[in-house]
Amino acid sequence: MQTKMVLWILSNTTKSRENQMKQIMMLSSFLLLCACQKTTPQLEQTTLPDLGSKAKCNSYSGLPSGWPKNKEAGMVKLPQGKIVLGTTQGYEDERPLNLQATSVPAFLIDATEVTNAQFQEFVKQTGYVTDAEKQGGAAMFLQPDHPVEELQWWKFEKGANWKHPWGLNNPKQPAPHEPVRMVTWNDAYAYANWLGHDLPTELEWEYAAKGFQQNSDIGPTHEGHIVANFWQGEFPYKNIQEDGFKDVAPVGCFSKNPFGLYDLIGNVWEWTQTPYTGPRDHHMGDPSKYRQSHEQILQYTIKGGSYLCATNYCARYRAAARHPQELDLATSHVGFRTVKRF
């Protein structure tokens, strides 16, 4: 039809300059209209949240611009690269199987931990009920005011869940811009699957935390400055709060890493999809290589440490650090972020 219309316009051209100009304008308008009609609509453009200071994180809504209509909103594309998984300077289970670097394909990863606001939207749209809600409670941290025996700072609190991380008897409510907590591996995976995303492997997570440099590990301080939310003082009874936080912090209160990611170190531990089997093995963080069924795995690897990690206890607030966590146990200090592979 477009060709016939062009021929019709040309066949009716007069020798008048005025008519020629009119016809040229008509032809241009027609071709422009056709071109516009064939243009594929562009996806909505979104920007990453502007974070990196206490003032900015406190004013953040907890929802990336354009999310969840654009399911990749708030994500950063990491380039392909290589890292040596683990470190020779940490705990025994952190040691690399060998010192050969492993390749990591490019992928997308959330710039921040998943927030309460994001998880609330997931629950609103799906009606999802978390494991803690089904179990009637979760493991809650209770700070003593004096030294106590190991692990006496944990209590199974009835009614505690992601909506009530301090328990039903505490009027304090979780803020929308804080990382969602008291979520199990099952809960984190359900959220990721809802978006068409996944949980990162241990290799992907560690690459995101340290793959921009050559050091074997990254910690919570840089050039003498605190760059993460972790425990300062004698754990578990004295927190001098040099970082400005007694508890979990809103996402993005500290500077982003060179990849543009926030809070990979400290704040909350983060779930991975890598089962924890003790010291590293030749599978290099890829669970699909040895996991036959979900039921065979009781513990998954969590990464990054939390606001409860201190120099006198845990000290796992590092990129190479790792720890086992029961897949159905919801706690005060574990959250997650998601990835999307190409």
Side-chain angles (χ1 to χ4, degrees):
M1 180 179 177
Q2 178 177 336
T3 302
K4 291 182 178 180
M5 180 64 75
V6 172
L7 291 173
W8 180 85
I9 293 174
L10 292 177
S11 66
N12 287 275
T13 301
T14 68
K15 295 181 180 181
S16 166
R17 181 177 298 276
E18 182 179 352
N19 287 341
Q20 287 177 351
M21 291 303 298
K22 289 181 179 179
Q23 290 163 1
I24 289 172
M25 292 177 65
M26 185 188 302
L27 175 61
S28 299
S29 298
F30 176 76
L31 294 175
L32 178 62
L33 176 61
C34 292
C36 291
Q37 289 175 334
K38 291 184 177 181
T39 300
T40 302
Q42 297 296 311
L43 292 176
E44 181 181 353
Q45 297 297 313
T46 61
T47 57
L48 293 171
D50 181 21
L51 300 170
S53 70
K54 291 182 175 63
K56 290 179 177 179
C57 72
N58 281 320
S59 63
Y60 179 45
S61 68
L63 295 174
S65 177
W67 184 95
K69 182 179 180 181
N70 180 353
K71 294 180 173 59
E72 296 177 5
M75 303 188 85
V76 175
K77 181 181 179 181
L78 301 194
Q80 65 178 6
K82 292 183 177 182
I83 60 165
V84 174
L85 184 63
T87 180
T88 59
Q89 301 174 358
Y91 292 107
E92 183 65 27
D93 68 342
E94 298 169 15
R95 295 185 179 278
L97 180 68
N98 55 60
L99 296 179
Q100 293 182 343
T102 301
S103 295
V104 184
F107 63 98
L108 290 167
I109 185 169
D110 291 330
T112 73
E113 298 143 337
V114 173
T115 64
N116 286 310
Q118 289 176 293
F119 199 80
Q120 183 177 31
E121 183 64 22
F122 159 61
V123 171
K124 177 183 177 181
Q125 291 197 24
T126 65
Y128 184 82
V129 179
T130 64
D131 281 346
E133 291 171 290
K134 296 174 184 176
Q135 296 164 2
M140 187 174 73
F141 172 74
L142 294 174
Q143 182 178 341
D145 57 9
H146 60 278
V148 295
E149 294 184 11
E150 187 171 358
L151 301 182
Q152 293 304 303
W153 46 82
W154 287 109
K155 175 188 178 183
F156 183 84
E157 180 73 10
K158 292 183 178 180
N161 55 55
W162 73 277
K163 299 175 185 176
H164 306 285
W166 296 279
L168 291 174
N169 296 325
N170 192 321
K172 186 176 181 180
Q173 296 295 310
H177 55 13
E178 291 173 351
V180 65
R181 301 178 287 157
M182 294 194 168
V183 286
T184 66
W185 188 95
N186 301 315
D187 302 330
Y189 179 78
Y191 171 93
N193 187 63
W194 170 64
L195 290 172
H197 298 178
D198 203 350
L199 297 179
T201 64
E202 182 176 8
L203 179 63
E204 289 169 332
W205 192 99
E206 193 163 319
Y207 175 69
K210 71 181 188 182
F212 49 84
Q213 47 81 63
Q214 298 300 315
N215 296 331
S216 67
D217 213 349
I218 297 289
T221 61
H222 179 67
E223 296 180 349
H225 299 286
I226 294 174
V227 293
N229 179 20
F230 68 105
W231 189 287
Q232 297 91 49
E234 290 295 312
F235 183 85
Y237 62 93
K238 185 179 181 181
N239 185 352
I240 60 177
Q241 302 175 46
E242 291 178 333
D243 58 8
F245 298 100
K246 179 181 179 180
D247 206 308
V248 69
V251 300
C253 289
F254 298 91
S255 298
K256 60 187 176 183
N257 75 10
F259 275 154
L261 309 175
Y262 299 95
D263 303 316
L264 284 159
I265 308 302
N267 213 23
V268 292
W269 286 95
E270 298 183 18
W271 286 108
T272 73
Q273 63 161 289
T274 300
Y276 184 90
T277 57
R280 300 184 189 278
D281 55 32
H282 67 281
H283 302 297
M284 297 299 289
D286 184 356
S288 65
K289 294 291 173 54
Y290 58 87
R291 180 156 56 92
Q292 299 300 316
S293 68
H294 180 75
E295 288 73 21
Q296 294 176 350
I297 302 301
L298 297 178
Q299 296 179 323
Y300 279 83
T301 304
I302 53 175
K303 299 283 287 180
S306 78
Y307 69 97
L308 299 180
C309 286
T311 55
N312 72 307
Y313 185 82
C314 175
R316 293 184 186 266
Y317 37 45
R318 296 171 289 106
R322 57 205 304 265
H323 201 267
Q325 178 80 353
E326 292 86 347
L327 67 89
D328 59 351
L329 177 63
T331 66
S332 298
H333 65 335
V334 177
F336 69 101
R337 73 181 72 207
T338 72
V339 299
K340 184 175 182 180
R341 303 178 187 92
F342 301 106

